[in-house]
Amino acid sequence: MGPDGEAITVDDRRPPGLPDRIGRLWEFATDISWTWNREARAIFRSIDLPIWRQTRNNPVALLRGIGDERLQALTRNRAFLQRYDALCETLDDAAASESTWFGRRHPEFADSPVAYFCAEFALHESIPIYSGGLGVLAGDHLKAASDLGIPLVGVGLMYAHGYFDQTLGPDGWQEDADNPLDPGLTPLERLRAADGVPWLTWIYGSGRRIYIGAWRVRVGRVSLYLLDTDLDENDPADRGLSHQLYAGGVDHRLRQEALLGAGGVRVLSALGIEPKAWHANEGHAAFMMVERVRNLIRDGLSFPDAVARVRASTVFTTHTPVPAGHDVFSHEQMRDWTGEKFWEEIHQRDELLGLGLHPQDEGRDRFHMTAAAIRLARRVNGVSERHGHVSREIWRGLWGSRPAREVPIGHVTNGVHLETWMNEEIVGLLDACLPPDWQDRPHDKAVWRGVRELPAEALWRVRHRLKLRLLDLMREEARRRWREHWPEAAHLIGAGMLMSPYPLTIGFARRFAAYKRADLVFRDRDRLLALLSGPGRPVQLVFAGKAHPRDEEGKRVLQRVYEHTRDPGFEGRIAFIENYGLHTAHCLVEGVDLWLNLPRVPLEACGTSGMKAALNGVPQLATTDGWWEEGFEGDNGWTIPRAPDGSSEEEVDRHDHEHLFRLLEDEVVPLYYDRPDEGPWDGPPAGWLERARRAVEVAGARFTAGRMVREYVSDYYVPALRGSTDGDDPPTSTRSGE
Ligand SMILES: *Cc1c(COP(=O)(O)O)cnc(C)c1O
């Protein structure tokens, strides 16, 4: 219901040919929680396996694509109906019991929504509104919040043109193609106001009204609202505002962030949702706080009271460990965008703009989104222990340069959604060796000890099957390349055509930002060559990742890596998979033997792909940065020690490269190929599987999104819901005139 009691309606998009007898398939297909429900997945898969694969596991596309006759036939298939009825029953029972972790612990807040704002969300491959780690984290946050029963609502933007699709030209230069999103093939539902109009509210921008529509995505118990300005009602210049993620220049960014922040507050209000706590995930969403201050001032509060009120109920998570990585807008730009009307209403222009001042910006009129967010959020955190420390260093200037340890910024280390990222075959193995209720109390470390009992044979067989699935994906991709644009042998080899399941397979997949150093392994070609073609102990490398469309340096790194995949000297032992996204990420983190992560310390705020790999029994070799600094327990992977303080960039690279190769040559490869004397040549390597089991144990016990969200609840959300201001220690420059 809207604020005036007007009904908000949702377009009914159920395929007309779907028989009522199995009509709830549509309900399941349009709720993202099917992605982590084993039985729901199995049912969709059983409808038509080839189409399921073709659609990249998209049940909406499946139900639309298989035709009425096939749907009718399902209603005569007794085995199918039995499964269907059983699933309906399980889901209804779960919905009726309503006993959730949050409900039991905090019944007093059961109806107090927590709004969660983020510029991107990764929920499923079919909704390409994410670019990487931040989006995956936000998606996993919603999923875990649903599991735990937290009354969370997500707010993001509907990027109708998606994040770009990556293809590589013959020279390895990344080509960025539009990847338009067809809502008809996604679970997105458009919301409409009472009279059927597709807009719910508006904001002012560039002196005119910008109407805002919204789409809803159901994520189990949680709803995500995606804002959209591509409406007939809007000026053509504003229709494209929400088209693409992180596209356009700094003006476009300001407009998008105003849409997310101010527009998001208004859309929630139009939907009749009144959040009692607000969480901005990264500085892009800081205008959400500014808009609330403005509303309170308009309602009659003084500026300091409005700021204090917003602070008390707001949580801010920063993700960026480099000072230059934070959004900054000029005051002139902000005034151009908002227009005079915005300020006239509240007469507090200087105060509001002052919220974004950076202490080092003395005299320059600039608005720092992160500085504003820190001033307007009583509770602020980084995303790993190390990143908390780095953030206290970066932002201590806001507290008059006090010592970093006294700066009130904490940390909640990121985690990944276990049910999403652990392959179901691994789940099956754990079902057999952990206590029967392990999935209900995954935070109990004792539960995870049982992983050490995982039988080597069974684990090795599953690991092998997952590797074969990765090779399948690579072959399928290579065939696609062949058909589409590259009938040249070198490209097919570069796609992994020659790879086989026997060699130790190392995965490296992430955004191609220079600091992630995808090219570090190539510093010494001969040494790499010797490693890859060790007699009887071959090694192969699989890369994937996109460079940001405007990151020329990232694209050059990618191109260099790509050239190596075609280098005949490497005999096809290096491959690059195009268009890294959720689907490829799953195949990679499950299918390789070792996960490699080489950020230049301390530039990785947290990193999460290594956690996903670990959950699947894939140990990680990484530099001592982000989560790995706290996650490495000595026997769950390998770590590259830190270069001595004061080393130059070149020295750090040389140091890290040397340690990387020493570990690979002296420990990783020998351990992987240490096979039993008796039995088949490819029997299970005992020592390797020890590490694999420990990787699962540590990630399961300490690095899941369930653990992360529970920490947010107890240390951040509940105090914010209480509006607690105990011990509030705002930055010194909060008040105007200081
Ligand atoms: C997990 C994930 C990431 C983030 O991985 P990092 O280790 O943080 O670099 C990026 N993209 C996709 C598709 C992912 O699944």
Side-chain angles (χ1 to χ4, degrees):
M1 294 285 255
D4 310 319
E6 4 161 345
I8 300 283
T9 57
V10 176
D11 287 357
D12 180 15
R13 303 181 308 122
R14 191 177 129 169
L18 183 65
D20 285 340
R21 176 67 181 87
I22 51 172
R24 291 184 68 190
L25 285 178
W26 185 249
E27 176 192 324
F28 305 150
T30 52
D31 180 338
I32 287 289
S33 64
W34 72 262
T35 58
W36 73 94
N37 181 320
R38 235 195 290 188
E39 189 48 27
R41 280 198 309 258
I43 284 196
F44 288 128
R45 201 184 300 134
S46 76
I47 292 178
D48 189 314
L49 187 60
I51 296 191
W52 180 246
R53 293 245 165 94
Q54 247 169 42
T55 62
R56 294 202 151 188
N57 310 357
N58 178 345
V60 173
L62 174 83
L63 293 178
R64 286 206 188 288
I66 64 165
D68 295 355
E69 241 168 77
R70 297 284 307 283
L71 290 171
Q72 285 296 340
L74 289 175
T75 64
R76 297 185 297 271
N77 177 337
R78 289 206 17 221
F80 182 83
L81 292 178
Q82 254 170 22
R83 274 188 114 160
Y84 170 81
D85 292 337
L87 178 64
C88 293
E89 208 172 302
T90 320
L91 293 175
D92 289 343
D93 286 352
S97 82
E98 271 318 307
S99 166
T100 64
W101 176 85
F102 187 83
R104 288 190 303 274
R105 282 176 81 109
H106 299 290
E108 73 278 25
F109 295 125
D111 299 316
S112 305
V114 178
Y116 180 87
F117 281 58
C118 190
E120 51 173 307
F121 289 89
L123 291 165
H124 186 259
E125 172 100 358
S126 62
I127 319 174
I129 57 167
Y130 61 93
S131 79
L134 184 69
V136 178
L137 179 80
D140 282 6
H141 195 102
L142 299 191
K143 293 173 181 181
S146 167
D147 294 339
L148 296 167
I150 296 154
L152 197 89
V153 283
V155 178
L157 297 183
M158 161 74 168
Y159 303 103
H161 290 235
Y163 194 56
F164 75 97
D165 255 350
Q166 174 193 55
T167 51
L168 299 187
D171 56 353
W173 190 251
Q174 170 176 297
E175 287 157 15
D176 318 323
D178 243 19
N179 179 16
L181 183 159
D182 176 357
L185 298 179
T186 72
L188 269 60
E189 302 169 304
R190 181 185 277 294
L191 302 180
R192 291 181 190 275
D195 35 6
V197 295
W199 56 269
L200 307 175
T201 184
W202 66 80
I203 54 172
Y204 275 104
S206 313
R208 56 182 177 262
R209 269 190 189 186
I210 300 173
Y211 292 91
I212 306 174
W215 302 75
R216 183 181 68 182
V217 193
R218 287 186 295 137
V219 187
R221 298 184 180 92
V222 166
S223 286
L224 166 63
Y225 297 99
L226 298 173
L227 280 46
D228 185 4
T229 61
D230 192 359
L231 302 170
D232 293 339
E233 288 81 354
N234 278 331
D235 190 283
D238 300 328
R239 294 189 61 154
L241 202 54
S242 58
H243 274 177
Q244 267 181 318
L245 176 58
Y246 307 142
V250 72
D251 267 329
H252 191 73
R253 251 184 121 87
L254 167 65
R255 293 149 54 95
Q256 275 196 335
E257 293 181 12
L259 173 64
L260 173 66
V265 170
R266 294 184 187 194
V267 162
L268 289 179
S269 157
L271 294 171
I273 297 170
E274 292 174 25
K276 296 292 185 287
W278 304 73
H279 184 177
N281 195 39
E282 187 56 318
H284 312 122
F287 288 134
M288 164 264 273
M289 309 172 199
V290 177
E291 172 72 5
R292 287 159 54 222
V293 169
R294 199 180 84 96
N295 285 344
L296 291 171
I297 293 174
R298 209 190 41 209
D299 293 349
L301 261 65
S302 69
F303 178 77
D305 287 350
V307 167
R309 179 87 72 84
V310 168
R311 259 181 83 74
S313 56
T314 303
V315 176
F316 169 57
T317 303
T318 172
H319 290 262
T320 316
V322 276
H326 300 257
D327 278 328
V328 184
F329 303 116
S330 75
H331 287 183
E332 193 188 343
Q333 207 190 344
M334 301 228 341
R335 282 193 292 258
D336 281 353
W337 159 255
T338 50
E340 282 309 310
K341 202 170 162 50
F342 181 92
W343 308 103
E344 278 165 15
E345 252 177 32
I346 55 167
H347 310 291
Q348 307 272 352
R349 174 179 9 214
D350 294 343
E351 288 82 351
L352 271 188
L353 288 176
L355 289 167
L357 283 180
H358 192 288
Q360 282 161 12
D361 257 6
E362 217 49 70
R364 283 156 79 201
D365 288 338
R366 305 207 302 171
F367 189 91
H368 286 249
M369 292 295 270
T370 304
I374 292 175
R375 290 201 176 92
L376 290 173
R378 158 82 177 78
R379 292 163 189 91
V380 180
N381 70 289
V383 290
S384 68
E385 204 174 308
R386 160 125 307 254
H387 181 240
H389 180 79
V390 169
S391 301
R392 289 188 286 278
E393 280 291 345
I394 296 180
W395 295 106
R396 68 201 181 100
L398 290 186
W399 282 267
S401 289
R402 67 167 70 158
R405 74 190 126 70
E406 289 170 27
V407 170
I409 297 180
H411 77 271
V412 176
T413 302
N414 289 341
V416 296
H417 188 242
L418 182 142
E419 293 78 358
T420 296
W421 290 105
M422 183 182 272
N423 182 279
E424 59 189 51
E425 293 216 45
I426 303 277
V427 173
L429 291 177
L430 296 188
D431 282 341
C433 72
L434 299 190
D437 62 341
W438 70 273
Q439 292 220 51
D440 299 328
R441 46 190 187 107
H443 41 286
D444 183 348
K445 288 203 174 106
V447 162
W448 288 93
R449 299 199 128 253
V451 173
R452 301 181 188 182
E453 311 306 321
L454 257 180
E457 284 288 344
L459 177 55
W460 189 237
R461 262 200 310 278
V462 168
R463 295 280 344 128
H464 186 75
R465 270 204 295 277
L466 295 177
K467 198 193 254 186
L468 290 178
R469 273 198 27 198
L470 170 64
L471 294 174
D472 273 353
L473 170 93
M474 291 166 70
R475 250 172 242 122
E476 197 185 295
E477 286 290 298
R479 270 197 293 273
R480 191 181 54 77
R481 280 192 199 184
W482 171 270
R483 270 201 319 271
E484 286 178 9
H485 42 243
W486 289 350
E488 275 173 51
H491 293 299
L492 298 184
I493 292 166
M497 249 348 218
L498 297 186
M499 290 200 166
S500 76
Y502 178 68
L504 167 68
T505 304
I506 302 178
F508 183 103
R510 46 190 33 88
R511 196 158 46 84
F512 267 77
Y515 81 86
K516 302 220 183 206
R517 295 191 298 184
D519 50 351
L520 189 71
V521 293
F522 299 107
R523 266 182 80 94
D524 181 342
R525 182 176 181 276
D526 292 340
R527 197 162 174 188
L528 177 60
L529 200 56
L531 179 82
L532 298 187
S533 45
R537 305 197 309 189
V539 174
Q540 57 197 10
L541 269 166
V542 187
F543 288 90
K546 295 174 177 177
H548 186 281
R550 284 176 302 137
D551 178 4
E552 298 289 312
E553 193 187 355
K555 287 187 182 182
R556 275 193 295 275
V557 175
L558 197 164
Q559 186 174 35
R560 279 202 297 279
V561 168
Y562 186 71
E563 275 163 13
H564 293 296
T565 68
R566 300 172 49 194
D567 178 341
F570 289 125
E571 297 176 22
R573 294 192 209 279
I574 304 176
F576 186 93
I577 310 183
E578 277 174 85
N579 212 24
Y580 183 46
L582 285 182
H583 187 74
T584 14
H586 272 282
C587 294
L588 276 163
V589 296
E590 294 167 13
V592 299
D593 296 302
L594 179 76
W595 196 251
L596 196 59
N597 189 16
L598 304 168
R600 195 177 279 129
V601 183
L603 298 182
E604 184 93 304
C606 180
T608 53
S609 53
M611 302 172 186
K612 303 169 193 167
L615 284 179
N616 290 288
V618 176
Q620 138 159 302
L621 192 175
T623 44
T624 308
D625 202 11
W627 79 282
W628 197 232
E629 181 166 356
E630 60 201 275
F632 177 59
E633 292 190 2
D635 55 0
N636 58 332
W638 291 269
T639 203
I640 295 175
R642 283 184 180 223
D645 280 346
S647 306
S648 68
E649 206 164 85
E650 168 58 23
E651 285 161 352
V652 171
D653 286 356
R654 195 172 336 124
H655 167 276
D656 291 356
H657 175 268
E658 176 59 31
H659 282 271
L660 166 65
F661 272 78
R662 261 193 239 161
L663 284 171
L664 289 172
E665 292 159 352
D666 301 344
E667 298 193 30
V668 174
V669 174
L671 195 65
Y672 186 80
Y673 285 107
D674 184 9
R675 303 298 167 90
D677 297 333
E678 304 289 321
W681 57 282
D682 56 353
W688 182 270
L689 292 176
E690 285 291 311
R691 298 235 166 191
R693 292 189 195 93
R694 287 284 294 139
V696 176
E697 181 184 343
V698 172
R702 297 179 52 204
F703 296 102
T704 61
R707 187 272 307 148
M708 166 182 80
V709 172
R710 281 193 314 273
E711 274 181 34
Y712 274 111
V713 168
S714 32
D715 301 347
Y716 293 77
Y717 292 171
V718 165
L721 287 166
R722 295 208 169 104
S724 148
T725 50
D726 296 351
D728 193 7
D729 180 14
T732 46
S733 41
T734 312
R735 277 147 287 156
S736 59
E738 278 194 33

